[in-house]
Amino acid sequence: LSNITIAIDAMGGDYGCAVTLPAVVNALQEKPNVQFILVGDRKKIETFFYEKKLEFSERLRIHHAPEIVAMDEPPAQALRFKKNSSMRLAIDLVKEGEADACVSAGNTGALMVTARFVLKTLPGIDRPAICSQWPTMQANKFACILDLGANVDCTPEQLFQFAVMGTVLSAGINGIENPTVALLNIGSEDIKGNEQVKRAAELLEQCSALNYIGFIEGTDIFQAKADVVVCDGFVGNVALKASEGVAKLFRQVLVEEFKNNFLTKMSALMASYVLNRFRKRIDPARYNGATFLGLRGTVIKSHGGTNILGFQTAINQALLQVNNNVPERISAEVERILMAE
Amino acid sequence: LSNITIAIDAMGGDYGCAVTLPAVVNALQEKPNVQFILVGDRKKIETFFYEKKLEFSERLRIHHAPEIVAMDEPPAQALRFKKNSSMRLAIDLVKEGEADACVSAGNTGALMVTARFVLKTLPGIDRPAICSQWPTMQANKFACILDLGANVDCTPEQLFQFAVMGTVLSAGINGIENPTVALLNIGSEDIKGNEQVKRAAELLEQCSALNYIGFIEGTDIFQAKADVVVCDGFVGNVALKASEGVAKLFRQVLVEEFKNNFLTKMSALMASYVLNRFRKRIDPARYNGATFLGLRGTVIKSHGGTNILGFQTAINQALLQVNNNVPERISAEVERILMAE
């Protein structure tokens, strides 16, 4: 593995430095060949390292950014008026070739709009898409799902491009040969679905370069029925958020039931043991890090409310994608498919 | 409570009589003022009662139906060619006033198309919607969500009508005064969302008769942020199925972890105790029974793969709606709102 540089939006997310900096310090220990540029308020970052007695490293440098994009700031406003924000400068470093990727837990809309404006989309890609990996019933199998909210309405051609990008990511990151691709729909019968989905299905059926397997329903995502699941950003975002909602509900009910019923030391111990094992497999922090596919550069979006482990996972996603040359591979694949037609 | 008659599609669902008939027998014991018409193959139903030694009752009668709609039969074909199916005849009984409601675990699309054709929509309602109640973090609070798949594309006016219908259901069934209504969207900021959702928001903001509170995201459904959640059928169906998928995944992982780690008798006992309590709060059987709102009659759709408890829950939903005169109230509310404008 070559030497990789990651730009970190140190101020982004619900907790800012309190999450991003410890995650970077942990990542430094785990990954000897990576260096980080911490983009944010120099004084705050330095104070944090000093107060928390975190060790500074040769593989760290601070890039001062005087502004912060607020979590609820309108994206267009952030793009226009926050040209010296930690988010913007982190993306600029990717554009200028100083960093191989950037990771931010900041405002999703602002990150998307800014990344698209600064980095531009790859040739043959109309719009970037947000993609992340979801756990399934099969312990080591993941579903790449996109778009998760970058585009509320999508043309059939855009859905087709998402399929290409998801295939590249799934093959590269998960090492899957010829990943299966499905369109998210409300029934597996051909007659169901809206016009865009039906027409996207026609495009995918005609493309021999992709391993298209047809429609799947929401339940099927978690049953590992496809390696890549394609949908528009409205549908994908609702599916993502509803899934998160159910996950939270389950965790809460489970904890309540344990608390209500097991008061002895022994049972509390057992409960925490099971809950920990359970969390290890389901914990959203372990699946954190969505990627903006289709850009000329790697941008990873961490969940805004994630913890240190979660931000580390997002950093690891960035490393995986850089090591796999995901943007370059998407370019090559788009060209190959368009040539074949 | 007056005497109520419910028509049961005895043959519908993945398990047919094996689930529907025991559920009816249980319901007879619980509800002394209800009678049932079992619609289906007379011989099969009689044989089932005989073989399972189930007691027949004065409050039961069989209405013979020689045909069955298959679970994967195209809806239009079922409507056209299965005029003597258990599903069709059960709906016909509602139309003719012989039954106050019907309950089916059969093919959703066929049930919707047939119910709409036979019963027709209420005045002022363009399209019926599928609505069900979802559990939330607040133990006794539910979210009425619609549409869950009857309409893939919806106009803003249809979304508005869904809001009216959901309000009536939530007020009637859950006894909530002035239920809060939200539109499902991908962000709570006004700028987000597609055109239909934005225009539906304008309509809802102008309507003082409804308690509209704005946009919510998928996660918020489970946090009880609104009593009524409105979306188009494509989005609603994906949210429903994704939620079911996560729920299944959680249950599986939880059971696996318990099995892997607790082998002693004592711990197995404790585990099953917690799991049972957990199931009681989360079990989909306890939230089974979606309703087709907007029709001139009450039709309840049970999940096809539900168990006896689940089908009983669906029967109870039918009783609640009949007791609350839901269709009549929707009519009255639509008229009131249109008059007020």
Side-chain angles (χ1 to χ4, degrees):
Chain A
L1 298 180
S2 60
N3 224 359
I4 294 175
T5 305
I6 307 281
I8 301 288
D9 170 9
M11 318 308 282
D14 298 345
Y15 311 110
C17 291
V19 160
T20 58
L21 300 184
V24 166
V25 170
N26 291 347
L28 278 171
Q29 284 165 356
E30 281 183 11
K31 314 275 178 189
N33 62 321
V34 180
Q35 48 196 33
F36 292 93
I37 307 175
L38 303 171
V39 188
D41 187 297
R42 181 181 300 276
K43 198 138 201 176
K44 278 195 185 146
I45 294 173
E46 284 173 348
T47 308
F48 190 90
F49 269 84
Y50 178 78
E51 282 181 354
K52 299 289 171 191
K53 299 191 177 63
L54 293 175
E55 210 173 324
F56 216 78
S57 154
E58 287 180 341
R59 291 185 281 130
L60 273 184
R61 70 179 170 93
I62 298 172
H63 185 100
H64 181 63
E67 295 169 341
I68 297 177
V69 173
M71 291 303 271
D72 56 356
E73 197 160 338
Q77 189 179 310
L79 177 64
R80 200 161 159 203
F81 299 110
K82 293 279 179 76
K83 287 177 186 163
N84 291 305
S85 69
S86 56
M87 179 188 283
R88 172 63 178 267
L89 296 185
I91 297 171
D92 285 347
L93 288 170
V94 177
K95 168 78 178 171
E96 294 152 10
E98 287 207 50
D100 299 296
C102 84
V103 181
S104 173
N107 182 324
T108 311
L111 187 65
M112 175 47 96
V113 167
T114 308
R116 202 180 152 204
F117 175 80
V118 173
L119 298 174
K120 313 297 180 208
T121 50
L122 290 164
I125 300 294
D126 296 335
R127 300 286 307 259
I130 304 177
C131 180
S132 75
Q133 308 225 37
W134 293 15
T136 72
M137 297 242 183
Q138 292 179 40
N140 294 310
K141 224 177 159 196
F142 300 90
C144 278
I145 174 160
L146 73 169
D147 172 30
L148 295 174
N151 313 284
V152 288
D153 289 308
C154 293
T155 63
E157 289 73 23
Q158 285 168 351
L159 293 173
F160 179 84
Q161 292 164 13
F162 296 171
V164 175
M165 300 196 291
T167 296
V168 171
L169 191 74
S170 179
I173 301 289
N174 299 330
I176 291 168
E177 217 174 313
N178 208 14
T180 52
V181 177
L183 280 166
L184 189 57
N185 199 344
I186 65 168
S188 51
E189 300 147 51
D190 289 341
I191 45 161
K192 290 186 180 172
N194 57 30
E195 276 314 306
Q196 296 93 291
V197 167
K198 285 184 200 167
R199 282 183 44 218
E202 289 169 15
L203 294 177
L204 287 165
E205 275 159 10
Q206 286 158 17
C207 173
S208 57
L210 293 173
N211 188 6
Y212 175 65
I213 59 165
F215 296 138
I216 65 168
E217 295 189 75
T219 329
D220 303 327
I221 304 170
F222 300 94
Q223 285 168 347
K225 288 211 181 155
D227 298 311
V228 178
V229 179
V230 172
C231 57
D232 74 46
F234 196 102
V235 167
N237 192 274
V238 168
L240 171 69
K241 299 286 174 68
S243 300
E244 286 178 356
V246 175
K248 276 188 195 169
L249 174 67
F250 265 60
R251 273 192 292 269
Q252 182 198 280
V253 171
L254 201 61
V255 168
E256 279 177 17
E257 289 308 328
F258 269 113
K259 279 196 185 147
N260 284 343
N261 299 299
F262 292 113
L263 297 167
T264 66
K265 244 184 183 170
M266 168 65 187
S267 59
L269 194 76
M270 288 167 60
S272 75
Y273 181 73
V274 173
L275 282 177
N276 280 338
R277 301 254 331 162
F278 182 68
R279 279 207 191 99
K280 266 196 192 157
R281 284 187 52 185
I282 303 292
D283 188 357
R286 290 176 187 271
Y287 307 103
N288 189 35
T291 174
F292 291 172
L293 287 182
L295 295 171
R296 298 170 194 248
T298 297
V299 178
I300 301 292
K301 164 71 177 95
S302 158
H303 201 290
T306 197
N307 56 19
I308 295 169
L309 173 65
F311 201 77
Q312 257 183 279
T313 313
I315 291 172
N316 287 338
Q317 267 296 324
L319 293 174
L320 267 172
Q321 297 202 20
V322 172
N323 279 326
N324 279 285
N325 302 312
V326 168
E328 295 79 2
R329 283 203 194 181
I330 289 175
S331 262
E333 191 67 12
V334 167
E335 203 173 314
R336 188 173 77 91
I337 286 172
L338 291 181
M339 295 289 277
E341 275 176 6
Chain B
L1 298 180
S2 61
N3 224 359
I4 294 174
T5 304
I6 308 280
I8 301 288
D9 171 8
M11 318 309 282
D14 297 345
Y15 311 110
C17 291
V19 159
T20 60
L21 300 183
V24 166
V25 170
N26 292 348
L28 278 171
Q29 283 165 356
E30 279 183 12
K31 314 276 178 187
N33 63 321
V34 180
Q35 47 196 31
F36 292 92
I37 307 175
L38 303 172
V39 188
D41 187 297
R42 180 181 299 277
K43 200 140 200 174
K44 279 196 183 146
I45 294 173
E46 283 173 350
T47 307
F48 191 90
F49 269 85
Y50 178 77
E51 282 180 353
K52 299 288 170 190
K53 299 192 176 64
L54 293 175
E55 210 173 324
F56 216 78
S57 154
E58 287 180 341
R59 292 185 282 131
L60 272 184
R61 71 179 170 90
I62 298 171
H63 186 99
H64 180 63
E67 295 168 343
I68 297 178
V69 174
M71 291 304 270
D72 57 356
E73 199 161 336
Q77 189 180 309
L79 178 64
R80 199 158 161 205
F81 298 111
K82 293 282 179 76
K83 287 178 184 160
N84 290 306
S85 69
S86 56
M87 179 188 284
R88 173 63 178 266
L89 295 185
I91 297 171
D92 285 348
L93 288 170
V94 176
K95 167 79 179 171
E96 292 153 10
E98 285 207 50
D100 299 296
C102 84
V103 181
S104 173
N107 181 324
T108 310
L111 187 65
M112 174 48 95
V113 166
T114 308
R116 202 179 153 204
F117 176 81
V118 173
L119 298 174
K120 313 296 181 209
T121 50
L122 290 164
I125 300 294
D126 296 335
R127 300 285 307 258
I130 304 178
C131 180
S132 75
Q133 308 225 35
W134 293 15
T136 72
M137 297 242 182
Q138 292 180 39
N140 293 309
K141 223 177 159 195
F142 300 91
C144 278
I145 173 159
L146 72 169
D147 172 30
L148 295 173
N151 313 284
V152 288
D153 289 308
C154 294
T155 64
E157 290 73 22
Q158 285 167 352
L159 294 174
F160 179 84
Q161 293 163 13
F162 296 170
V164 175
M165 300 196 292
T167 296
V168 170
L169 190 74
S170 179
I173 300 288
N174 298 331
I176 290 169
E177 220 174 311
N178 207 15
T180 52
V181 177
L183 280 168
L184 190 58
N185 199 343
I186 65 169
S188 51
E189 299 147 52
D190 290 341
I191 45 159
K192 290 187 180 171
N194 57 30
E195 276 314 305
Q196 296 93 293
V197 166
K198 285 184 198 167
R199 282 183 45 217
E202 289 169 15
L203 294 177
L204 287 165
E205 274 159 10
Q206 286 158 17
C207 174
S208 58
L210 293 173
N211 189 7
Y212 175 66
I213 59 164
F215 295 139
I216 64 169
E217 295 188 76
T219 329
D220 303 327
I221 304 170
F222 300 95
Q223 285 170 346
K225 288 211 181 156
D227 298 311
V228 178
V229 179
V230 172
C231 57
D232 73 47
F234 195 101
V235 167
N237 193 274
V238 168
L240 171 69
K241 298 284 173 67
S243 300
E244 286 178 358
V246 175
K248 274 188 196 169
L249 174 67
F250 265 60
R251 272 192 293 270
Q252 183 199 279
V253 171
L254 201 59
V255 168
E256 279 177 17
E257 289 307 327
F258 268 114
K259 278 195 186 148
N260 285 344
N261 300 299
F262 292 114
L263 297 165
T264 66
K265 241 186 186 170
M266 169 63 189
S267 59
L269 194 76
M270 287 168 60
S272 76
Y273 181 74
V274 174
L275 282 178
N276 279 338
R277 301 255 330 164
F278 181 69
R279 278 208 192 98
K280 266 196 192 157
R281 283 185 55 183
I282 303 290
D283 187 357
R286 293 179 184 267
Y287 307 101
N288 188 36
T291 174
F292 291 172
L293 287 182
L295 295 171
R296 298 169 194 249
T298 298
V299 178
I300 301 292
K301 165 71 176 91
S302 159
H303 201 291
T306 197
N307 56 19
I308 295 169
L309 173 65
F311 201 77
Q312 257 182 279
T313 312
I315 291 172
N316 286 338
Q317 267 296 325
L319 292 173
L320 266 172
Q321 297 203 20
V322 172
N323 279 327
N324 279 286
N325 302 312
V326 169
E328 295 79 1
R329 283 201 194 182
I330 289 175
S331 263
E333 193 67 12
V334 167
E335 203 173 313
R336 188 173 77 89
I337 287 173
L338 291 181
M339 295 288 278
E341 275 176 7

